[in-house]
Amino acid sequence: MIVRIRSAVIALALYIPFLLLGGGYYAFAMWVIGIVGLFEFAEMQKLNIFNHIGLFSVVGLTSLLIPQMYMPEILIQGNPEYLFYICSLMLLVFTVFNHRKFNFGHAAIIVFACIYIGYGFRFLILFREMGLETILYLLVVVWSTDSGAYFVGRKFGKRPLAPEISPNKTVEGMIGGVLTALLVASIFVALFQPALGAVNQVWILTIIVSLFGQFGDLVESAFKRYFNVKDSGKFLPGHGGMLDRFDSLIFASFIMMFWINLFR
């Protein structure tokens, strides 16, 4: 527990300054974290990408993760997503000439990881561009959900939520997470008033974000079950890897961006 708390404090101490600075500083931090997450995907399938495969993987991830405002002018004119397509094709080419060590399954998972991490972290950067209150709202909802689900689940949890994927998660914990998020988010919105719509809309958004954040955690557990690993990585002692810490935020960022675009 001491190791877990210590690594959490260190991680927050490194993350918060970039969050407060925003702009290119935050984009850079999320890019570094995204690369770590990409290499964790490779590590989970016991794939070494400290080579040309990793180079094209990182370039593909970068083309999706970094918003255009921080992209070089030459890439903006040529559409950065085209660069992702090219990198994906090159990964497929590598399966032809090195199929014993890098096959279609490896390439497909790396391409998926680029999309999953790339857009998830891209949205986090864009939320920060919308204002500190917007990204803080998302963090508050996800983190309060995690805490509420943990403590309510331990105290009252009886019915397993997904026993074959995550035996310790319960239906009661899930509900407790949503209720905790509603309480904490209501206080946060009253104090800081992020531009997310009327109060009743924010309540609905909070419930949806809280639920999808928990789905993200379960999906990450499903990944680890599939790859037969305990944690996505060892970057954060006591917590696992970067993907273990950002799984809920990645899922929640997708649904929150959809919501903002729907009601903007």
Side-chain angles (χ1 to χ4, degrees), residues 98-121:
N98 196 20
H99 64 277
R100 294 185 184 276
K101 294 183 178 179
F102 186 72
N103 56 44
F104 175 73
H106 295 136
I109 290 172
I110 293 298
V111 171
F112 165 76
C114 288
I115 298 172
Y116 179 69
I117 298 171
Y119 279 113
F121 282 15

Side-chain angles (χ1 to χ4, degrees), residues 73-152:
E73 186 66 26
I74 187 173
L75 291 180
I76 294 176
Q77 293 178 352
N79 191 337
E81 290 186 357
Y82 291 160
L83 187 57
F84 167 72
Y85 301 146
I86 293 172
C87 290
S88 299
L89 291 176
M90 288 304 301
L91 291 175
L92 291 176
V93 169
F94 296 150
T95 67
V96 175
F97 298 102
N98 196 20
H99 64 277
R100 294 185 184 276
K101 294 183 178 179
F102 186 72
N103 56 44
F104 175 73
H106 295 136
I109 290 172
I110 293 298
V111 171
F112 165 76
C114 288
I115 298 172
Y116 179 69
I117 298 171
Y119 279 113
F121 282 15
R122 179 190 185 94
F123 294 155
L124 293 178
I125 296 170
L126 293 177
F127 291 145
R128 180 60 184 88
E129 293 295 321
M130 295 175 191
L132 184 58
E133 297 84 0
T134 303
I135 184 67
L136 283 178
Y137 163 81
L138 177 61
L139 294 172
V140 163
V141 171
V142 169
W143 290 346
S144 61
T145 295
D146 287 345
S147 298
Y150 175 76
F151 288 109
V152 173

Side-chain angles (χ1 to χ4, degrees), residues 141 144-145 177-187 202-204 206-207 210:
V141 171
S144 61
T145 295
V178 173
L179 294 177
T180 303
L182 278 171
L183 174 62
V184 176
S186 296
I187 297 172
V202 176
W203 285 344
I204 297 172
T206 299
I207 293 172
S210 177

